[in-house]
């Protein structure tokens, strides 16, 4: 077998047949070329007429396809995406945009950006060249005349003046301004007179012969039906118009009294004052008139209806109709005093005699009406006529208290006494009349009057109070007045009167405020009613609360009496003694305060505060020996009291007795109880510093540190001692501060003192590091942030200071000192905005308020600055820096009285805080100085030194 036999054989091709021409065949129904590969396809107008959409739409509308066949119900043509289209092609079911498509698009976008970047430089050069070419071919007007404008700088003033003014060379024809004025009546009248008087010839020469004025009649007499018209005088027409107006004015005049009531000068003003009602008001008036007419017709005996109808007509401006209605009401309701009063009021505008006739009719109808008699008395001009009317009224109505009071007010003193004697007989229940009669009588007669009044009105407390005041006015002692008030309470209770404790205390306050003050009566009332109706458990708190409220209302004597009653009931309560002492210090005398404190320490010998208050008041009064005696008695009662030991030291130290103070503290250190007080050792070191013995001071401080290692002030004083000239130097001070920080890491003054020591030694970086370490151990400390800001400012790093301030405000957003520093550091235009932000964060902070006051001071707004400074020292009077700023402000803008007021208020407040105040007061040169001297020296510190 050969190789050719083993190979596969290829089938033989078929014989060629006739080739099919598909282009000549008819296309199937609904066939669209290219639709299978996603092409849209199209048809022409020659196929089906008007053009139609291809693709799926062509299949939908093709012949042989059913309506709705193949439509996608979820297809929405409004939801079309620029990239994906509407997914209606061949990939409608599977054409999702996946991560591969996104990556491909990102690649192609990168290619496009790369190609665009390659062409960008050339494109920008081409655009720049085209722009320069366009500007060179089309220059601006300003560029064309730029060189000429530069040459204008060399033009002289005379050349400018020699340039002629530009006239109006416009070719447009200007419209001529024509003015017309009406011919006055006098000119026409004179022309008519000239024509009628024989000047027709001259007129004819000057007039057109063809005109009517050139005729024999002058043109003014034109034949009209054979009758000549009269010559019209236009001036006479104006005169007649004024005459008609005068006749109208005369017609408006009132001829009853023979005089006109029209003011010719104020006539136009009166016309302007006339109220012109609107259509709505007229409609409302008509409705109200109709309604009130129905009321008075339905019930003609109803007086308020007639009064309302009359007032409606008065409002509508129809006074005659109002008077007519009210008189009809008086006829139908003769017993109503209100309608008679309304009638008299409306009739008073007609004639002075008309209301009198009205009153006579009213008295005949209502003889017992007090209102009518009082209104009639008011109509009289003088007091004699008024008194006559009132006495006639009292003859008719003797029981009217109102009439008696009015008659007494118009009478003299003797006549008033007689009237009141008769009045209390006619009106025995009128307490006011009894009291008025008692005030006018003598002492003996007044007692009789009050006794009669008490019998007539046994339930009236005012009679008893008046009796107590009467006895006090005539020199009665406290016991007598107390008996009267006590009898009053018993009598009133027996007659069924409920005794209200608060009302009686108010009456005591009224007695204190009367002129002259009735203090004995006030104290008697308080003594009798203090514990009335109060639970014994709540009596102490109630008495103290009532005393505080009375003091707030200004009733000092009432508050003093309440405190006295509380102390008499609870003599061993130290807080009541302190409150009473505070009241005496604020409103009483020094002698009364000393007496009260002596009684207080007698009843409360274990109260250290009362002993200290007594000693301080004696010392402030200049009685140093008395203060020593009081403290000696206090030692006997409280031998182990630290406060009394320190008070005794202060008395000796502040009176320039350092040796006695040293001996006293040495005795205290030997005392077993006082030896355990760290402040005793601190004051001992302070005395040695005052005396200048540094070695003893160091020994005391070291002993104090050994005994009390956690007391921070020992380390501060030791560091200050070593840093002073003659001390151990900076290294020793640094060691003292380091030891203190190891024992007291929470002490802010220690951290600040250590950082300031490094700064003064020139190690600003070390100071900055110490402050940062302090903030880590004591977060959100405004004092540390402020120290860091001041450190950067002193080093000249303003940007670092601003950065530290921003961080500080983020860490402590409600710190007043930080906001005050932010206001002072801000540029002047931004300080008001910064102050507004500070007030939003901490409105009632005294540091912020003082900073705002300084802004007003800088703007010369004196009153506002004074008000804000006053607010700052009121919010916290213990800050001496604010007092110093306030005093400096008053020294510049205030009077000597205002300066003295600030100084006295500062001395009374005795401030102990403030950066500058503490720096001045703790200086050894300012020891034992009063607050007034420290205030002035703090002002000098503000003027000369930067903040500490």
């Amino acid at each position: 077998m050969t190789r050719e036999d083993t190979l596969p054989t290829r089938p033989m091709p078929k014989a060629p047949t006739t080739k099919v021409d598909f282009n000549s065949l008819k296309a199937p129904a609904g066939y669209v070329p290219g639709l299978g590969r996603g092409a849209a396809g199209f048809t022409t107008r020659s196929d089906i007429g008007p053009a139609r959409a291809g693709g799926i739409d062509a299949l939908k509308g093709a012949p042989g396809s059913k309506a709705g066949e193949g439509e996608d119900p979820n297809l929405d043509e409004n939801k079309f995406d620029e990239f994906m289209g509407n997914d209606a092609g061949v990939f409608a079911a599977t054409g999702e945009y996946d991560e591969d498509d996104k990556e491909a698009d990102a690649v192609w976008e990168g290619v496009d950006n790369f190609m665009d970047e390659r062409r960008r430089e050339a494109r920008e050069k081409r655009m720049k060249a085209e722009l320069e070419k366009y500007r060179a071919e089309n220059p601006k007007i300003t560029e064309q005349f730029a060189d000429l404008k530069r040459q204008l700088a060399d033009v002289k003033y005379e050349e400018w003046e020699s340039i002629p003014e530009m006239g109006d060379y416009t070719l447009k024809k200007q419209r001529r301004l024509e003015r017309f004025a009406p011919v006055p009546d006098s000119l026409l009248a004179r022309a008519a007179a000239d024509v009628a008087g024989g000047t027709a010839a001259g007129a004819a020469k000057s007039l057109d012969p063809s005109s009517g004025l050139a005729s024999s009649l002058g043109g003014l007499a034109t034949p009209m039906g054979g009758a000549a018209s009269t010559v019209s005088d236009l001036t006479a027409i104006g005169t007649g118009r004024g005459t008609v107006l005068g006749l109208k004015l005369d017609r408006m005049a009132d001829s009853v009294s023979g005089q006109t009531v029209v003011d010719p000068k104020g006539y136009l003003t009166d016309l302007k004052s006339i109220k012109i009602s609107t259509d709505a008001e007229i409609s409302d008036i008509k409705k109200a008139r109709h309604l009130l007419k129905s009321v008075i017709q339905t019930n003609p005996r109803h007086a308020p209806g007639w009064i309302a109808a009359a007032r409606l007509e008065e409002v509508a401006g129809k006074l005659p109709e109002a008077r007519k209605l009210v008189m009809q009401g008086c006829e139908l309701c003769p017993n109503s005093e209100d309608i008679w009063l309304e009638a008299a009021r409306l009739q008073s505008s007609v004639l002075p005699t008309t209301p009198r006739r009205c009153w006579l009719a009213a008295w005949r109808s209502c003889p017992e009406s007090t209102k009518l008699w009082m209104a009639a008395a008011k109509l009289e001009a003088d007091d004699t006529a008024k008194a006559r009317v009132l006495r006639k009224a009292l003859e008719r109505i003797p029981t009217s208290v109102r009439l008696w009071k009015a008659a007494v007010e118009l009478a003299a003193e003797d006549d008033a006494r007689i009237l009141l004697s008769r009045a209390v007989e006619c009106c025995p229940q009128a307490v006011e009349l009894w009291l008025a009669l008692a005030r006018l009588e003598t002492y003996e007669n007044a007692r009789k009057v009050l006794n009669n009044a008490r019998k007539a009105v046994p339930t009236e407390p005012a009679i008893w109070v008046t009796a107590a005041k009467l006895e006090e006015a005539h020199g009665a002692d406290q016991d007598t007045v107390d008996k009267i008030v006590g009898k009053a309470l018993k009598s009133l209770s027996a007659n069924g009167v409920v005794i209200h404790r608060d009302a009686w205390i108010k009456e005591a306050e009224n007695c204190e405020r009367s002129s002259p003050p009735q203090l004995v009566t006030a104290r008697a009332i308080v003594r009798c009613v203090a514990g009335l109706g109060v639970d014994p458990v709540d009596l102490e708190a109630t008495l103290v609360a009532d005393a505080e409220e009375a003091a707030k209302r200004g009733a000092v004597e009432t508050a003093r009496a309440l405190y006295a009653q509380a102390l008499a009931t609870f003599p061993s309560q130290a807080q009541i003694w302190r409150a009473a002492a505070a009241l005496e210090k604020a409103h009483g005398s020094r002698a009364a305060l000393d007496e009260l404190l002596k009684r207080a320490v007698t009843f409360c010998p274990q109260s250290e505060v009362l002993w200290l208050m007594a000693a301080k008041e004696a010392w402030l009064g200049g009685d140093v020996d008395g203060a020593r005696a009081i403290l000696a008695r206090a030692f006997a009662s409280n031998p182990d009291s630290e406060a009394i030991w320190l008070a005794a030291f202060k008395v000796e130290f502040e009176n320039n007795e350092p040796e006695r103070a040293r001996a006293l503290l040495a005795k205290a250190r030997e005392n077993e109880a006082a030896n355990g007080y760290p402040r005793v050792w601190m004051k001992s070191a302070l005395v040695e510093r005052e005396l200048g013995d540094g070695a003893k001071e160091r020994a005391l401080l070291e002993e104090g540190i050994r005994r009390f290692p956690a007391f921070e002030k020992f380390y501060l004083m030791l560091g200050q001692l070593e840093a002073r000239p003659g001390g151990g130097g900076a290294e020793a001070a640094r060691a003292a501060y380091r030891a203190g920080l190891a024992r007291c890491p929470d002490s802010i003054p220690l951290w600040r003192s250590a950082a300031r020591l490094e700064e003064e030694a020139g190690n600003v970086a070390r100071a900055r590091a110490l402050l940062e370490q302090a903030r880590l151990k004591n977060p959100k400390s405004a004092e540390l942030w402020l120290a860091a800001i001041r450190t950067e400012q002193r080093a000249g790093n303003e940007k670092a200071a601003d950065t530290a301030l921003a961080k500080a405000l983020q860490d402590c957003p409600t710190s007043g000192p930080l906001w005050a520093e932010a206001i002072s550091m801000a540029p002047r235009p931004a300080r008001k905005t910064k102050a507004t932000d500070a007030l939003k964060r901490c409105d009632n902070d005294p540091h912020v308020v003082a900073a705002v006051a300084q802004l007003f001071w800088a703007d010369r707004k004196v009153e506002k600055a004074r008000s804000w400074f006053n607010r700052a020292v009121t919010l916290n009077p213990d800050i001496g820096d604010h007092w110093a700023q306030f005093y400096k402000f008053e020294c510049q803008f205030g009077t000597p009285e205002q300066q003295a007021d600030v100084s006295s208020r500062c001395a009374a407040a005795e401030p102990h805080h403030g950066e500058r105040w503490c720096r001045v007061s703790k200086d050894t040169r300012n020891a034992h100085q009063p607050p007034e001297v420290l205030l002035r020296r703090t002002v000098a510190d503000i003027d000369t030194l930067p903040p500490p």
Side-chain angles (χ1 to χ4, degrees), residues 258-273:
Q259 296 179 355
T260 178
V261 296
V262 177
D263 182 12
K265 295 182 180 179
Y267 175 67
L268 294 178
T269 306
D270 294 339
L271 288 179
K272 291 180 180 179
S273 64

Side-chain angles (χ1 to χ4, degrees), residues 42 48 52 165 270-271 281 447 521 599 626 659 709 732 782 859 866 885:
F42 64 93
I48 56 174
R52 57 187 177 89
E165 294 292 335
D270 294 339
L271 288 179
E281 293 176 352
R447 295 182 65 183
T521 304
R599 291 172 52 212
E659 293 297 336
D859 293 340
R866 181 177 289 113
Q885 293 169 357

Side-chain angles (χ1 to χ4, degrees), residues 323-364:
R323 298 189 190 104
K324 181 179 178 182
L325 283 173
V326 79
M327 293 311 297
Q328 291 179 5
C330 291
E331 294 175 1
L332 294 174
C333 308
N335 296 325
S336 175
E337 58 183 12
D338 293 332
I339 197 168
W340 283 109
L341 291 172
E342 186 69 15
R345 186 184 68 82
L346 292 175
Q347 295 293 342
S348 62
S349 60
V350 182
L351 281 177
T353 57
T354 304
R356 297 180 184 275
R357 293 195 297 268
C358 185
W359 287 123
L360 293 175
W363 290 333
R364 285 194 296 270

Side-chain angles (χ1 to χ4, degrees), residues 87 89 123 149 227 297 313 322 341 483 555 573 625 769 782 850 895 914:
D87 286 343
R123 184 175 61 252
K149 284 186 177 181
Q297 287 179 354
E313 299 299 337
L341 291 172
K483 291 179 182 178
Q573 297 296 325
D625 294 333
T895 61

Side-chain angles (χ1 to χ4, degrees), residues 762-780:
N763 300 326
V764 179
R766 178 61 181 163
R768 188 182 297 115
L770 277 173
L771 292 174
E772 290 178 0
Q773 185 180 359
R775 291 198 300 273
L776 290 176
K777 294 188 176 183
N778 301 277
K780 297 187 180 301

Side-chain angles (χ1 to χ4, degrees), residues 786 790 805 809 815-826 834 838 842 845-852 854 882:
L786 188 60
R790 298 272 176 80
L805 177 61
L809 291 176
S815 173
L818 287 178
W819 278 108
E821 189 70 18
I823 294 173
S824 62
M825 289 176 58
K834 189 68 71 175
C842 38
D845 190 277
H847 298 86
V848 175
V849 174
V852 175
Q854 293 182 29
H882 299 165

Side-chain angles (χ1 to χ4, degrees), residues 476-757:
D477 56 0
Q478 187 68 54
D479 295 336
T480 304
V481 179
D482 290 349
K483 291 179 182 178
I484 294 175
V485 177
K487 289 175 61 177
L489 295 176
K490 293 180 181 178
S491 176
L492 292 172
S493 300
N495 286 279
V497 178
V498 179
I499 306 299
H500 294 284
R501 177 177 175 277
D502 295 338
W504 279 89
I505 292 178
K506 292 289 185 183
E507 186 63 33
E509 295 180 6
N510 293 333
C511 293
E512 183 180 352
R513 295 191 185 99
S514 62
S515 182
Q518 306 288 336
L519 303 181
V520 178
T521 304
R523 285 194 291 268
I525 293 174
V526 171
R527 289 181 180 182
C528 294
V529 303
L532 196 64
V534 182
D535 191 352
V537 178
D538 302 330
L539 182 59
E540 179 185 353
T542 303
L543 290 174
V544 173
D546 290 342
E548 291 175 354
E549 292 298 325
K552 289 179 181 178
R553 292 191 292 267
V556 179
E557 191 63 32
T558 303
R560 187 179 286 118
L562 286 167
Y563 278 129
Q565 192 65 24
L567 292 173
T569 310
F570 308 97
S572 61
Q573 297 296 325
Q575 64 270 18
I576 303 179
W577 288 104
R578 290 200 300 268
L583 179 68
E584 289 295 336
K585 185 175 182 180
H587 303 283
S589 61
R590 185 175 295 278
L593 178 59
D594 293 341
E595 181 64 27
L596 179 67
L597 290 173
K598 288 180 181 179
R599 291 172 52 212
V601 297
T602 303
F603 284 101
C604 304
Q606 304 301 323
S607 177
E608 300 176 1
V609 178
L610 293 176
W611 286 108
L612 296 177
M613 290 178 65
K616 183 177 181 180
E617 293 302 326
W619 175 54
L620 292 176
D623 188 6
V624 181
D625 294 333
R628 290 170 179 162
I630 293 173
L631 289 174
R633 292 166 53 198
F635 275 123
S637 300
N638 304 275
D640 300 334
S641 173
E642 178 188 9
I644 294 177
W645 280 106
L646 295 179
F649 155 74
K650 185 176 181 181
V651 169
E652 305 298 343
F653 187 71
E654 295 295 337
N655 283 281
N656 293 324
E657 297 286 348
E659 293 297 336
R660 299 187 63 168
R662 173 191 281 178
L664 184 64
L665 289 174
K667 184 178 179 181
R669 291 195 303 273
E670 295 173 359
N671 186 284
E672 184 178 356
N675 194 18
Y677 300 133
R679 297 182 65 194
V680 172
W681 293 89
M682 184 188 71
K683 295 296 182 182
S684 301
L686 187 63
V687 172
E688 299 301 335
R689 186 180 70 177
E690 179 75 15
L691 295 175
D693 193 344
K696 288 186 178 181
E697 180 184 0
R698 184 180 291 106
L700 287 170
L701 289 174
E702 290 175 351
E703 180 65 21
I705 290 173
R706 188 183 64 81
R707 289 174 176 268
F708 311 99
F711 193 68
E712 62 179 18
K713 290 191 176 181
F714 287 145
Y715 301 100
L716 281 172
M717 295 179 67
L718 183 59
Q720 293 171 3
L721 171 64
E722 301 296 351
R724 286 200 301 266
E731 288 298 330
R734 189 177 291 111
Y737 289 140
R738 189 182 304 114
L741 292 174
R743 290 284 186 173
C744 309
D746 298 335
S747 175
I748 305 300
L750 268 176
W751 287 105
R752 295 184 62 182
S753 299
R756 190 61 186 268
L757 177 66

